[in-house]
Amino acid sequence: MLTSDKFHDECGVVAIFSHPEAEKLAYLGLHALQHRGQESAGIATSDGLTSRMHKAMGLVADIFTEEVLSKIPGTLAIGHTRYSTAGDSALLNAQPILVQSNKGTIAIAHNGNLVNALRVRARLESQGSIFQANSDTEVIVHLIALSREQTLPEAIGDALRQVEGAFSLVMMSLDRIIAARDPRGFRPLAMGRIPAPKGQTRDTIVFASETCAFDLIGASYERDVKPGEIVVVGPEGVSSHFYSSNRPQSSCIFEHVYFSRPDSVVFERAVQSSREELGRQLAREAPVEADVVVPVPDSGVTAAVGYAAESGIPFRFGLIRNHYVGRTFIEPSQSVRDFGVKLKLNPVRSLLEGKRVVLIDDSIVRGTTSKKIVRMIRSAGAREVHMRISCPPTISPCYYGVDTPSKNQLIAANKSIEEIRDYIGADSLAYLSLSGLKRACGEGGKTSYCSACYTGNYPTEIIDVEEILPASARR
Ligand code: AMP
């Protein structure tokens, strides 16, 4: 059964068309997208005749050894990396999904969440469909197989018209790569190209959630897959189809706030510029007299650079992050206060002692990390700690593919800003305004964003959750 907590997953996707070592490019692409999901990863390949796949739990670099990659050679590949809250069945839900269907071989990898998967699945099950796991992506595979349309792109369009929500998809048949995006363009999906080497005629066409994947494999960014578009890349070349009429664009603003890498271009905008502008805007909206601006690494770094530049207060790395923290650590039996956070972050006493500190982070979710970090900065001798958050209070869960806890665990949904300040133990606390956030991320013109996590106004119906939860538990 799908349950509401299965909706929360974060993913990255990549696809390679026509390269003698497509599996290796997919592997490198996934490596660059590792921040989008660290639980499982997989690659499916085709050499034109045979499809192969390997997926497992863990990090990309650990799963894909030289030996594993040598077993899945191909000229076409798609890859997926995933973090999900799904428990035991996590490997079963890992992607890509590879099936043999009446439309031939289909492999699919999905970033985003459908909001009507339960309802569609119930309909399909009543017609006799059998599901292997509980990911919403499997619903799309069934709809493609059941479509009466003759060609694969038409069947995909038919399937995608029946689902609602967020989906950036890469798919592979034996000889084609197909990329598609939902009509509102919630999650990013970029297309790039590696020019054919001398003597060869065909360029390699690539797709990825973020352009930082292109940088690693030497591809140049060409354009985004547009909301409502299906791009088919095959032996005949590249073609574009629109399966859906235009809907208002609702690209996820949290990609710019936190989720994407700052070296990526997402929704045709450099994440770095958005994030630095978030910090500048925050300094204009919520100034404070202080001696140093300190980021919570890594999520607060770029906004802190902006805050420091705008305010004229010096930027300092007052917290140092240990990048080599795995999933579990053995804790001494006499437990250490804030052990989890201390494993990851340590304050620099010589920088903080006696100082009035502006502490910058991108968001407060449950508030537990912020509380520990503020305590840590104080214990390193800071005189004052002023917390500044580079987005508005997070008051509503995301149903479109960003992992967020339920509303009753979101501190800002349940406490006032003053109560949060008191809870985290800061001398002052301020968040960026919604209008400041949108301005910093370049809203206007072609771009409009989904900011449901800050407003509770969802651009779609949330059909599945409405069906799972009793009315009293909604919103
Ligand atoms: P919390 O202790 O729950 O308030 O956690 C806040 C921290 O979680 C901040 O440093 C954020 O950068 C980070 N964060 C925010 N959203 C997410 C997310 N969807 N997944 C993982 N980390 C997040």
Side-chain angles (χ1 to χ4, degrees):
M1 251 295 278
L2 280 162
T3 60
S4 63
D5 70 347
K6 302 293 187 329
F7 288 80
H8 307 144
D9 61 350
E10 307 179 323
C11 309
V13 296
V14 62
I16 312 290
F17 177 83
S18 187
H19 190 279
E21 294 183 301
E23 73 288 355
K24 288 202 176 127
L25 294 199
Y27 154 76
L28 292 172
L30 288 183
H31 187 65
L33 299 175
Q34 184 74 79
H35 61 288
R36 297 185 71 89
Q38 301 91 41
E39 188 188 60
S40 66
I43 295 175
T45 63
S46 165
D47 58 12
L49 297 171
T50 312
S51 58
R52 299 178 177 88
M53 182 166 70
H54 183 79
K55 52 187 180 181
M57 303 301 290
L59 298 176
V60 175
D62 298 331
I63 297 170
F64 292 101
T65 59
E66 192 86 52
E67 194 194 342
V68 166
L69 285 171
S70 72
K71 290 183 182 148
I72 53 165
T75 51
L76 274 61
I78 65 169
H80 189 265
T81 179
R82 176 167 201 252
Y83 166 79
S84 121
T85 55
D88 304 341
S89 55
L91 184 56
L92 208 57
N93 279 316
Q95 296 192 18
I97 297 173
L98 175 66
V99 295
Q100 308 301 331
S101 76
N102 55 356
K103 308 281 185 311
T105 299
I106 308 172
I108 183 167
H110 173 197
N111 172 211
N113 275 131
L114 304 183
V115 294
N116 68 341
L118 269 183
R119 185 182 285 185
V120 178
R121 179 173 168 146
R123 171 166 62 83
L124 294 172
E125 282 179 330
S126 73
Q127 294 163 3
S129 288
I130 295 166
F131 286 80
Q132 294 205 339
N134 50 22
S135 90
D136 52 353
T137 314
E138 219 179 324
V139 166
I140 300 176
V141 181
H142 278 266
L143 291 173
I144 294 172
L146 287 170
S147 172
R148 295 220 172 85
E149 297 289 351
Q150 295 303 307
T151 67
L152 187 55
E154 281 171 340
I156 291 170
D158 187 26
L160 298 185
R161 277 189 290 276
Q162 298 175 61
V163 293
E164 179 72 281
F167 47 90
S168 281
L169 299 168
V170 289
M171 289 163 274
M172 185 188 75
S173 66
L174 284 182
D175 62 352
R176 281 179 175 72
I177 292 288
I178 301 166
R181 240 173 124 203
D182 69 71
R184 293 181 179 80
F186 279 106
R187 307 250 73 87
L189 188 59
M191 178 174 163
R193 185 181 293 265
I194 305 171
K198 266 208 176 93
Q200 286 178 31
T201 48
R202 194 184 273 167
D203 290 352
T204 299
I205 304 294
V206 298
F207 296 90
S209 296
E210 291 179 39
T211 58
C212 64
F214 296 166
D215 300 336
L216 185 58
I217 60 176
S220 54
Y221 167 71
E222 217 155 68
R223 68 176 181 88
D224 279 5
V225 176
K226 298 191 179 70
E229 186 184 21
I230 298 178
V231 179
V232 182
V233 193
E236 67 289 342
V238 179
S239 61
S240 160
H241 315 254
F242 283 86
Y243 65 90
S244 160
S245 53
N246 264 352
R247 309 268 169 80
Q249 188 193 349
S250 333
S251 294
C252 170
I253 203 158
F254 195 61
E255 292 276 353
H256 276 273
V257 171
Y258 167 80
F259 201 31
S260 293
R261 265 174 46 166
D263 52 337
S264 287
V265 175
V266 161
F267 310 132
E268 301 181 356
R269 183 177 171 81
V271 176
Q272 167 77 24
S273 346
S274 294
R275 226 164 265 177
E276 199 171 317
E277 190 50 34
L278 291 172
R280 285 184 176 275
Q281 182 64 24
L282 189 57
R284 291 191 281 267
E285 289 184 13
V288 61
E289 274 203 19
D291 306 307
V292 279
V293 174
V294 171
V296 174
D298 296 323
S299 52
V301 171
T302 319
V305 168
Y307 193 101
E310 186 70 23
S311 64
I313 304 169
F315 172 99
R316 291 285 182 274
F317 276 111
L319 283 167
I320 300 302
R321 180 169 168 184
N322 183 338
H323 287 267
Y324 307 98
V325 185
R327 288 225 141 196
T328 50
F329 259 87
I330 301 155
E331 190 172 353
S333 49
Q334 207 167 12
S335 74
V336 178
R337 195 172 203 207
D338 304 336
F339 181 75
V341 174
K342 279 183 185 161
L343 271 178
K344 209 166 142 186
L345 296 173
N346 198 32
V348 184
R349 179 170 278 277
S350 59
L351 281 177
L352 300 170
E353 201 146 36
K355 298 280 173 26
R356 294 168 301 171
V357 175
V358 192
L359 184 64
I360 311 276
D361 203 356
D362 70 287
S363 44
I364 298 179
V365 184
R366 293 181 175 86
T368 46
T369 315
S370 305
K371 186 183 175 80
K372 290 173 186 168
I373 293 173
V374 170
R375 192 153 61 207
M376 205 183 240
I377 301 249
R378 282 201 199 284
S379 70
R383 195 146 51 94
E384 291 172 16
V385 183
H386 301 277
M387 185 100 192
R388 294 291 178 270
I389 302 295
S390 64
C391 68
T394 306
I395 57 161
S396 287
C398 177
Y399 299 109
Y400 306 117
V402 171
D403 176 47
T404 25
S406 58
K407 197 161 178 136
N408 57 10
Q409 291 180 297
L410 289 172
I411 192 167
N414 301 290
K415 287 188 196 294
S416 69
I417 293 179
E418 173 53 23
E419 286 168 337
I420 301 171
R421 183 207 61 73
D422 185 52
Y423 175 79
I424 66 173
D427 292 282
S428 75
L429 167 67
Y431 290 84
L432 187 63
S433 68
L434 184 62
S435 59
L437 168 69
K438 288 185 171 179
R439 199 171 324 127
C441 295
E443 173 147 304
K446 282 191 302 173
T447 313
S448 70
Y449 289 107
C450 172
S451 50
C453 49
Y454 309 122
T455 61
N457 300 325
Y458 295 96
T460 67
E461 263 187 278
I462 310 296
I463 298 156
D464 287 343
V465 175
E466 306 276 312
E467 284 179 0
I468 295 167
L469 298 177
S472 58
R474 284 177 218 151
R475 309 260 144 80

